[in-house]
Amino acid sequence: MRLYKTELFKLFYNKIFKIGILAVTGLILLYFCFAEVGGEIATVDGKFYSGYEAVQINRKITKEFEGDLTDEKVNQIIEKYGLPAKIEENMPGWRDGNFLNDFVTEYFTNGAWENGVLPTEKYSLEETELGKFYDEIGKTPYLAYTRGWKVFVEILQFGLILGSILIICEVSTVFAQESQTKMLPLIFSTQEGRRKDVWAKIFASFTFTVFIFAWIVVVSLILCWMVYGLNGFNNISWIILSQYMRRPILFLKYLGILLGLAFQAFLSLCALTLCVSAYQSSSFGAVIIASICWGLPALIRIFFGGIIWIIVDSMPIFLIINVIINDIYEIWYIVLGISICFALGCLVKGLVFYKSKQFS
């Protein structure tokens, strides 16, 4: 336990961590404010709102219609707010819409701003994907302001990418630093060094990784809760029925798989980085090699397309990308198994090589 605490202290009191965690948190906040909150728009009674004000307006008007979704309620929304029809080049979404009539246009009409198609036909609930899915599960659709969950998924991905970089920079030094500072012979000359120090470093590294993951999730969740609220958790909304994933899926299940695979991605990255660190004799070299290993699957996917795609998609860099999660959703358990085997392989290989250094 003493060695574990010592290794943990070295990781958390490193200047790289202190600067890195502030940078990660600050960049998440900036992305949240400018890319997410700053991009929110709403048009109500002919008046245009944007940014934080638009978020509050969308929350307010949705509160009035919150509850079971029916054809009558859809008609009331159209009667009160109309259907959006304004599209601007290189600008996302309907420029004269709000949360409610955007939702109605998305699921109850043939309108699609992505293709420049104006809404000209309206469908009843039973004719829509939304209605058909709820008929299958025997429940009634529920309307709520779910923008908070959509933003959470988006900023979580951004935060996890930043967190991955921080893990590489920190964990890469765990074993490599001992070789660089010539401390390896001294460590292996003691009984504790031979039997316990290696495991202390490994457990401390994984503890550090879990902390980074939890920090990013909590920060992202708090930001979304404070600004958007977290309504609509139990219903399926356009967060799932998006351009990336058209099939209806209960959000609770989707979120569980998303967070589970992202958590495994961090553990797998930690194992990979420890393996690289064990093979390197300098911290700088370990960071560079670990970064290359982390990013290499992206190049493989670009240049080799579908070849061994399931293995490539099981790598840490892809398990935190929302689009990839949507692609592998039906076989997520296979991808998870491959990722776990990869992590264990890296950990064992690095451990065996590092311990063998005592004989060199």
Side-chain angles (χ1 to χ4, degrees):
M1 183 60 71
R2 179 176 56 83
L3 288 175
Y4 168 75
K5 290 181 179 179
T6 300
E7 295 298 333
L8 209 56
F9 180 86
K10 287 163 62 176
L11 287 170
F12 279 102
Y13 283 85
N14 192 319
K15 287 184 179 179
I16 296 177
F17 167 72
K18 293 179 180 179
I19 296 173
I21 197 68
L22 289 175
V24 169
T25 306
L27 288 172
I28 290 175
L29 183 59
L30 288 174
Y31 181 84
F32 177 77
C33 292
F34 291 101
E36 298 297 346
V37 178
E40 183 94 356
I41 59 174
T43 300
V44 178
D45 297 330
K47 188 175 180 180
F48 179 81
Y49 302 89
S50 63
Y52 180 76
E53 190 177 16
V55 173
Q56 300 310 307
I57 290 294
N58 279 329
R59 291 183 67 180
K60 181 180 178 180
I61 64 175
T62 306
K63 190 69 176 177
E64 178 185 351
F65 292 92
E66 184 173 339
D68 291 344
L69 185 62
T70 61
D71 287 322
E72 181 182 358
K73 185 171 290 186
V74 170
N75 292 331
Q76 290 174 353
I77 293 173
I78 296 175
E79 182 180 349
K80 186 168 185 177
Y81 298 109
L83 292 176
K86 184 180 179 181
I87 303 173
E88 293 182 7
E89 189 175 356
N90 299 322
M91 297 296 288
W94 301 101
R95 308 312 295 174
D96 58 345
N98 54 54
F99 180 83
L100 287 174
N101 57 14
D102 280 355
F103 179 84
V104 170
T105 303
E106 177 80 11
Y107 298 113
F108 292 86
T109 75
N110 62 333
W113 66 265
E114 302 94 335
N115 303 320
V117 179
L118 299 180
T120 57
E121 298 180 17
K122 178 184 169 295
Y123 310 119
S124 63
L125 179 60
E126 63 180 11
E127 296 176 309
T128 65
E129 284 185 271
L130 200 66
K132 292 175 181 177
F133 175 74
Y134 272 102
D135 282 341
E136 290 177 10
I137 63 176
K139 294 185 178 180
T140 303
Y142 191 88
L143 176 63
Y145 182 69
T146 54
R147 174 72 176 165
W149 288 113
K150 184 175 187 295
V151 172
F152 171 71
V153 171
E154 291 174 355
I155 66 169
L156 178 65
Q157 173 182 284
F158 178 73
L160 292 176
I161 292 173
L162 297 176
S164 297
I165 297 172
L166 180 57
I167 289 172
I168 290 173
C169 292
E170 271 281 274
V171 178
S172 292
T173 65
V174 169
F175 290 127
Q177 192 174 42
E178 306 297 357
S179 298
Q180 181 175 307
T181 57
K182 309 300 182 184
M183 289 292 293
L184 199 59
L186 178 61
I187 292 174
F188 282 137
S189 66
T190 64
Q191 189 63 28
E192 281 195 341
R194 289 174 182 268
R195 298 178 55 185
K196 299 180 180 180
D197 183 69
V198 175
W199 289 108
K201 290 180 184 296
I202 291 174
F203 288 137
S205 298
F206 278 102
T207 301
F208 174 82
T209 299
V210 171
F211 172 83
I212 297 298
F213 178 82
W215 176 263
I216 292 170
V217 172
V218 170
V219 168
S220 302
L221 200 60
I222 289 176
L223 287 175
C224 292
W225 170 68
M226 290 176 62
V227 176
Y228 293 96
L230 298 175
N231 293 336
F233 182 81
N234 292 323
N235 73 325
I236 60 170
S237 65
W238 57 4
I239 188 173
I240 303 303
L241 292 171
S242 64
Q243 65 264 34
Y244 301 118
M245 181 181 282
R246 295 302 305 182
R247 52 192 181 277
I249 297 166
L250 290 173
F251 180 58
L252 179 60
K253 180 180 179 182
Y254 175 83
L255 185 64
I257 293 174
L258 181 75
L259 291 176
L261 290 178
F263 182 65
Q264 172 56 31
F266 264 43
L267 297 181
S268 183
L269 177 61
C270 179
L272 170 64
T273 307
L274 285 172
C275 180
V276 172
S277 182
Y279 273 84
Q280 296 298 307
S281 298
S282 73
S283 298
F284 179 76
V287 171
I288 297 300
I289 299 300
S291 299
I292 293 173
C293 291
W294 179 60
L296 188 60
L299 295 177
I300 294 175
R301 201 174 197 272
I302 291 172
F303 291 107
F304 296 97
I307 300 177
I308 60 172
W309 68 270
I310 192 171
I311 297 177
V312 174
D313 286 354
S314 303
M315 296 298 103
I317 192 172
F318 284 123
L319 289 183
I320 58 176
I321 304 299
N322 298 335
V323 177
I324 300 299
I325 300 299
N326 297 340
D327 289 342
I328 64 174
Y329 184 84
E330 300 295 342
I331 56 169
W332 66 268
Y333 48 90
I334 298 177
V335 172
L336 178 63
I338 294 173
S339 180
I340 292 173
C341 291
F342 172 77
L344 290 175
C346 288
L347 197 59
V348 171
K349 189 171 180 61
L351 180 62
V352 170
F353 183 83
Y354 184 73
K355 283 191 171 184
S356 69
K357 283 187 175 182
Q358 63 182 296
F359 300 109
S360 59

